[in-house]
Amino acid sequence: MPVEKNSITGARRESKSMENRLVHMRKGFSPLPIKDGLNPTRARVPEGSISAWAFLEHLIQTQRHRHPDDNAAALQARFDAGEVVLRDQTVLKPETLLTKDQDVFFYRIPAPEEPVPYDIPILFEDKHLLVVDKPPFMATMPRAKHIVQSATVQMRRITGIDDLSPAHRLDRLTSGILVFTKTKEIRGAYQTLFAERRVHKTYEAIAPLSDVPVGAMWESRIEKTPGEIQGRLVAGEPNAFTEVAGVNPVDNEPYEAIHGPQPPLAKYTLKPKTGKTHQLRLHMWEAGVPILGDPVYPVTFPADAEDMRVPMHLTATRIEFIDPLTGKPREFVSNLPLVAHHFLHP
């Protein structure tokens, strides 16, 4: 009997161990929690027989955007706090030898960033969703040198909701409606909704007045290479479609106060049917009416020439969809004026 009992106990332990391994293999699992609005970084070891200290030291010293205080003392502090771990939550010591293809999790220290001088008004909130008016110059998710100055990190800090995650993305320079999910359990349902284009979006852009016919459907083939700033309009089967739903003249005065003298301007109401990167910016440029304040089309300005007092006037003004959880229609409307400088902090 004792042997049988031990066998059952061993089987239970093995079952529990397997269950834990399956949890650790789950997509999106992280052995470290979100900290101060930031997800931990995962780095895969390319070659074995390297110490955890040497591996992280190399990563930190070679990153493009490095905090000046991220030195040996800061690295030691991570180890002392138990904040360098493997996927199975094994806490690493500086001298621990790593093997090829192991995943190491730790927290990066973001480099200093220029604060985005705009508010992020909350438009709507319930137990599942948080909807905001994202300002220009703020990335949706942490990326490259825009980490803390991203809507995701800022809203996590403002609300205290660590699980806050965007259901879709807006370009950094584009303003307007951004929908966040509040819990992991329902995140996939809303992200799938956007990924499958079951969402109706309306944008408004300010550009030179022209005779673009209302109701026109712009069709083109767009390609964009990762790492390159501009997208390209190329020959081939169209993969980007935008409906022109309205063209209305506007008062030039508030825009000229920001951009200087301009030709007669108009507000273009655009309804994209697809979601290619820079689609609306490229379609407006192709139509001969580049968006006012666009620093990429037709001419790409140097990154160090960016002035956050001079926004690009493209705003996601309306989002409509059938809620995947309730089956009821949802509609969110932006309150941001197209003259976005009204939201500058004093």
Side-chain angles (χ1 to χ4, degrees):
M1 289 295 293
V3 173
E4 181 180 64
K5 183 177 180 180
N6 287 339
S7 297
I8 292 173
T9 301
R12 286 175 177 165
R13 286 175 179 167
E14 177 62 26
S15 175
K16 186 65 175 177
S17 177
M18 178 61 72
E19 183 179 306
N20 287 339
R21 286 198 294 270
L22 289 173
V23 168
H24 296 151
M25 291 169 63
R26 189 174 66 237
K27 183 179 180 181
F29 170 79
S30 173
L32 289 175
I34 291 168
K35 181 180 179 181
D36 198 22
L38 295 167
N39 291 78
T41 292
R42 176 180 64 86
R44 179 156 293 177
V45 181
E47 298 178 359
S49 298
I50 183 172
S51 71
W53 178 280
F55 179 56
L56 262 64
E57 184 180 46
H58 174 75
L59 289 176
I60 292 167
Q61 289 182 349
T62 57
Q63 62 186 342
R64 290 181 59 191
H65 308 290
R66 178 186 174 189
H67 196 289
D69 296 332
D70 199 355
N71 50 26
L75 178 54
Q76 184 63 53
R78 292 177 173 95
F79 284 104
D80 293 343
E83 293 179 344
V84 182
V85 304
L86 297 179
R87 183 177 290 276
D88 64 1
Q89 297 179 306
T90 298
V91 177
L92 300 180
K93 296 180 179 179
E95 65 272 16
T96 302
L97 287 180
L98 303 174
T99 59
K100 183 179 179 180
D101 292 335
Q102 280 187 309
D103 288 332
V104 178
F105 293 78
F106 66 103
Y107 296 107
R108 289 190 185 273
I109 301 176
E113 301 174 44
E114 182 181 358
V116 175
Y118 296 87
D119 296 323
I120 317 177
I122 295 176
L123 295 173
F124 173 84
E125 182 176 6
D126 65 11
K127 65 178 181 179
H128 294 314
L129 300 179
L130 180 76
V131 184
V132 305
D133 254 337
K134 187 189 82 65
F137 301 105
M138 183 169 284
T140 296
M141 292 283 290
R143 184 179 180 186
K145 64 180 181 179
H146 307 293
I147 306 299
V148 171
Q149 294 301 313
S150 64
T152 298
V153 173
Q154 289 296 311
M155 292 313 299
R156 283 175 178 173
R157 292 182 174 183
I158 289 169
T159 64
I161 304 172
D162 283 343
D163 283 339
L164 209 63
S165 182
H168 61 114
R169 297 194 181 200
L170 286 178
D171 284 347
R172 177 174 168 266
L173 298 182
T174 303
S175 314
I177 300 172
L178 183 60
V179 179
F180 288 94
T181 58
K182 296 175 69 175
T183 62
K184 294 178 181 177
E185 294 74 22
I186 55 89
R187 182 181 303 164
Y190 290 97
Q191 289 179 338
T192 298
L193 188 76
F194 281 86
E196 294 181 349
R197 299 173 187 166
R198 291 185 280 128
V199 177
H200 300 287
K201 301 178 183 179
T202 302
Y203 289 75
E204 291 180 351
I206 299 298
L209 177 64
S210 76
D211 57 359
V212 172
V214 175
M217 180 67 75
W218 290 334
E219 303 180 5
S220 57
R221 183 165 190 82
I222 293 176
E223 293 183 359
K224 191 174 187 300
T225 302
E228 293 184 0
I229 296 177
Q230 282 194 342
R232 302 184 304 278
L233 298 164
V234 299
E237 182 178 354
N239 61 2
F241 303 86
T242 301
E243 177 189 351
V244 181
V247 180
N248 297 287
V250 296
D251 178 9
N252 270 35
E253 184 176 354
Y255 301 99
E256 291 183 342
I258 302 172
H259 300 275
Q262 298 292 320
L265 298 172
K267 177 177 69 178
Y268 292 77
T269 302
L270 308 171
K271 293 182 179 291
K273 307 304 178 184
T274 50
K276 291 294 181 181
T277 302
H278 291 187
Q279 175 177 318
L280 299 181
R281 298 164 70 177
L282 278 162
H283 276 168
M284 291 286 285
W285 176 31
E286 185 181 31
V289 283
I291 298 171
L292 183 63
D294 191 333
V296 175
Y297 305 100
V299 177
T300 300
F301 294 109
D304 58 6
E306 182 173 271
D307 184 347
M308 292 192 195
R309 297 170 298 178
V310 184
M312 179 180 73
H313 297 279
L314 176 64
T315 302
T317 55
R318 185 182 300 269
I319 282 183
E320 303 167 76
F321 57 86
I322 301 300
D323 193 290
L325 302 184
T326 67
K328 296 181 179 179
R330 295 268 206 175
E331 181 180 12
F332 303 112
V333 180
S334 171
N335 289 328
L336 279 174
L338 293 184
V339 187
H341 75 295
H342 288 172
F343 278 91
L344 275 168
H345 293 305

